[in-house]
Amino acid sequence: MKKSILAVVSVLSVSSCSTHTLIDDGIPSNTLPKNVIMVIGDGMGPAYTSAYRYYHDNPITQEVEETVFDRHLLGLSSTYPAAESGYVTDSAAGATGLSSGVKSYNGAVGVDVNKKAVQTVLEFAKTQGKKTGVVVTSRINHATPASYLSHNESRQNYNEIADSYYDEKINGHFKMDVMFGGGWKHFLRDDRNLVEEFKHSGFQYIDKYEQLDTIIPNQPALGLFSDGGLPWALDDSIPHRLSVMTKAATKNLENKQGFFLLIEGSQIDWGGHNNDIAAAMGEMDDLAKTLEYLEAYVAKNPNTLVVVTADHSTGGLSVAANGIYKWKPESLRSFQYSPHTIANRLTNEDITAKFANFLFNFDLTGEELEMLITVKHGTQNALPEKEAIGNPYQIKNVSNVNQAMYKAVKYLIDQKTNTGWTSSAHTAIDVPVFSFGSHSHEFIGLNDNTKIAKKIFTLLGRK
Ligand code: MG
Ligand code: ZN
């Protein structure tokens, strides 16, 4: 314990002067990192990394085991957008701050408050001769990756953003060499087949995870693995798909000039919006595996910088609730299906104790089982008012039953784990910043999201 405090103090004292060197004097170009990897856990406020520690804990040992996040925590980031949007950011303004160093309004993708394009660190890296890539678990044209690759007044213009990935060039070249994530519905459209266009321009195209192994290095690659976002980690054929895609991307991008790679654990945020702790922990586990891979990568390639943060927190996650001094993640550790899938199956198939125990992968109490059956038949208020959907007598169509069932499943899990939520949207709490590798000490302390971008620009060689 003492030892680790001393280590932090000595790192802190080193940092205060090197931060000055970086901001005021620039740093000698021969010491700049060759590769820069930016990792965003969308919605990953501090409660998520704390919850993940207890989720990840081995209950057989006395100690609470350290997570990959714990090993690299350096500070916090403020996330507020431009003044006109108040203090609570969305993912577009948050990512635009992180990508360009410019505060903008909620919904803005790579543009300032006047809707003018602002250069992003990914674009700057490209002008420096580096290869670039994005690896995400959302659609690749979703707000976060789009704010590194595109410029649009609204994150909702999904097709325009997808088109821009093909149409906007830097010095006649594509901005990106690798893109992995979801998005068939925007790249394979009736009015435009962007997949064909990319293939025609020399991109390798894959649409199954198994094909990630077959990608030829040093040749651009587009991998789209689903219509929109990828399935929840808990439901996906490869639960650690972000780490698998990341491995393939780093292999593909390696070259003499180095690379800039954006990685996003996109769906931590969606777990937060849905107030779904089981899904959120599944996504956190995928991100943690990705960071463990990056630790090993940096050990082999010490001239690589990895910066990890969130764009904001989501859901007001509370690690314990209801006046009780307990958070009980035990049941979360063994989920085989997402609560969303569990709810679908409970809606569409007969609920028996055996089937429900199989779906949750733990034994439900008689009360829990009865609650699920009651919600399904919509015969009475089986859920507290805030969880219930309208008048249960009116639950007639399957999608309403399905929604009610999803709420019931999450309610059951929250009660069992004693998890709390205060919002279905974003909150303005500062988010953790982690960094390791070349020049990682630059990120110690409180960094506004725009400051993180400014430091990355400098580390990429901008004067
Ligand atoms: Mg996102
Ligand atoms: Zn969100």
Side-chain angles (χ1 to χ4, degrees):
M1 190 58 169
K2 257 184 198 158
K3 208 173 165 189
S4 66
I5 290 172
L6 281 175
V8 170
V9 170
S10 68
V11 173
L12 280 170
S13 57
V14 169
S15 84
S16 55
C17 57
S18 56
T19 303
H20 276 273
T21 312
L22 171 62
I23 299 303
D24 300 338
D25 310 325
I27 40 180
S29 60
N30 58 353
T31 75
L32 293 174
K34 177 180 172 191
N35 308 314
V36 176
I37 302 177
M38 180 75 204
V39 185
I40 298 178
D42 197 309
M44 187 181 66
Y48 288 80
T49 44
S50 302
Y52 182 73
R53 183 188 305 125
Y54 309 123
Y55 162 91
H56 169 270
D57 178 37
N58 177 357
I60 298 183
T61 60
Q62 270 294 320
E63 61 170 331
V64 174
E65 281 79 10
E66 181 185 71
T67 67
V68 65
F69 299 101
D70 294 339
R71 278 197 284 286
H72 302 295
L73 178 70
L74 291 187
L76 289 171
S77 168
S78 44
T79 65
Y80 59 90
E84 63 201 77
S85 293
Y87 300 125
V88 185
T89 191
D90 83 326
S91 287
T96 297
L98 286 166
S99 72
S100 71
V102 175
K103 295 266 184 213
S104 198
Y105 57 92
N106 285 344
V109 168
V111 296
D112 65 14
V113 290
N114 301 313
K115 302 186 174 173
K116 268 185 65 184
V118 286
Q119 190 185 38
T120 72
V121 289
L122 181 145
E123 291 169 333
F124 180 73
K126 196 72 189 171
T127 66
Q128 300 304 102
K130 293 193 188 297
K131 296 210 173 203
T132 60
V134 298
V135 175
V136 300
T137 55
S138 61
R139 303 171 237 187
I140 61 170
N141 52 338
H142 205 256
T144 309
S147 299
Y148 281 78
L149 282 172
S150 190
H151 307 278
N152 200 294
E153 64 178 297
S154 169
R155 59 183 290 173
Q156 299 302 330
N157 295 331
Y158 284 110
N159 288 345
E160 276 182 21
I161 291 169
D163 290 347
S164 78
Y165 286 9
Y166 186 86
D167 297 335
E168 282 179 20
K169 309 271 186 340
I170 293 179
N171 302 330
H173 298 287
F174 286 103
K175 283 182 195 175
M176 71 304 277
D177 301 279
V178 170
M179 291 180 283
F180 294 150
W184 293 329
K185 63 181 166 187
H186 304 289
F187 288 80
L188 294 163
R189 311 194 306 260
D190 289 341
D191 66 316
R192 202 165 168 187
N193 186 333
L194 288 162
V195 166
E196 275 312 312
E197 293 183 49
F198 273 110
K199 278 162 77 175
H200 205 79
S201 299
F203 273 72
Q204 317 172 63
Y205 175 67
I206 55 171
D207 59 6
K208 291 179 192 68
Y209 296 135
E210 298 74 49
Q211 295 170 304
L212 284 162
D213 278 344
T214 68
I215 294 247
I216 301 161
N218 259 304
Q219 197 177 305
L222 172 64
L224 299 177
F225 307 103
S226 65
D227 210 27
L230 303 182
W232 291 109
L234 286 173
D235 292 331
D236 215 338
S237 56
I238 302 177
H240 296 127
R241 72 275 204 241
L242 187 64
S243 67
V244 174
M245 293 190 295
T246 297
K247 266 180 221 177
T250 51
K251 266 190 208 160
N252 183 282
L253 289 170
E254 275 172 356
N255 76 99
K256 269 197 194 127
Q257 304 293 316
F259 61 81
F260 175 89
L261 174 62
L262 170 75
I263 300 167
E264 186 196 24
S266 318
Q267 301 192 28
I268 299 162
D269 178 61
W270 306 354
H273 280 285
N274 289 3
N275 290 179
D276 184 335
I277 189 63
M281 288 300 109
E283 301 304 319
M284 286 294 292
D285 201 45
D286 191 12
L287 183 62
K289 292 286 177 298
T290 305
L291 296 183
E292 284 165 11
Y293 165 71
L294 292 177
E295 272 184 326
Y297 188 84
V298 166
K300 270 194 241 152
N301 303 276
N303 50 3
T304 300
L305 166 68
V306 178
V307 181
V308 187
T309 191
D311 46 358
H312 53 76
S313 191
T314 306
L317 168 62
S318 178
V319 189
N322 310 311
I324 304 164
Y325 285 70
K326 271 199 169 76
W327 194 60
K328 298 176 285 182
E330 292 78 8
S331 58
L332 298 176
R333 296 184 185 126
S334 53
F335 269 73
Q336 304 280 358
Y337 301 104
S338 74
H340 202 254
T341 294
I342 293 173
N344 281 346
R345 295 200 58 182
L346 291 172
T347 302
N348 294 307
E349 297 169 57
D350 280 342
I351 303 180
T352 63
K354 197 177 160 203
F355 182 53
N357 293 347
F358 158 76
L359 289 177
F360 283 89
N361 208 19
F362 57 79
D363 287 351
L364 272 65
T365 65
E367 235 172 79
E368 288 167 341
L369 187 68
E370 205 182 300
M371 187 264 286
L372 296 175
I373 294 170
T374 312
V375 166
K376 178 161 179 174
H377 298 297
T379 50
Q380 64 180 74
N381 279 311
L383 292 170
E385 202 180 340
K386 101 178 169 50
E387 316 286 343
I389 293 186
N391 177 349
Y393 286 102
Q394 290 170 348
I395 295 181
K396 285 198 181 100
N397 63 51
V398 172
S399 81
N400 279 354
V401 176
N402 207 337
Q403 279 179 47
M405 192 57 80
Y406 186 32
K407 288 204 168 196
V409 167
K410 289 183 295 184
Y411 175 71
L412 188 160
I413 297 167
D414 282 348
Q415 293 294 110
K416 205 167 199 77
T417 56
N418 201 35
T419 299
W421 305 92
T422 62
S423 177
S424 61
H426 299 177
T427 61
I429 192 169
D430 294 347
V431 295
V433 177
F434 317 86
S435 184
F436 50 97
S438 172
H439 290 278
S440 53
H441 56 270
E442 300 295 350
F443 297 89
I444 291 171
L446 178 66
N447 283 282
D448 184 62
N449 55 9
T450 56
K451 201 166 161 193
I452 290 176
K454 284 170 189 161
K455 288 180 177 177
I456 290 176
F457 272 122
T458 305
L459 291 165
L460 286 167
R462 188 168 82 173
K463 297 283 182 269

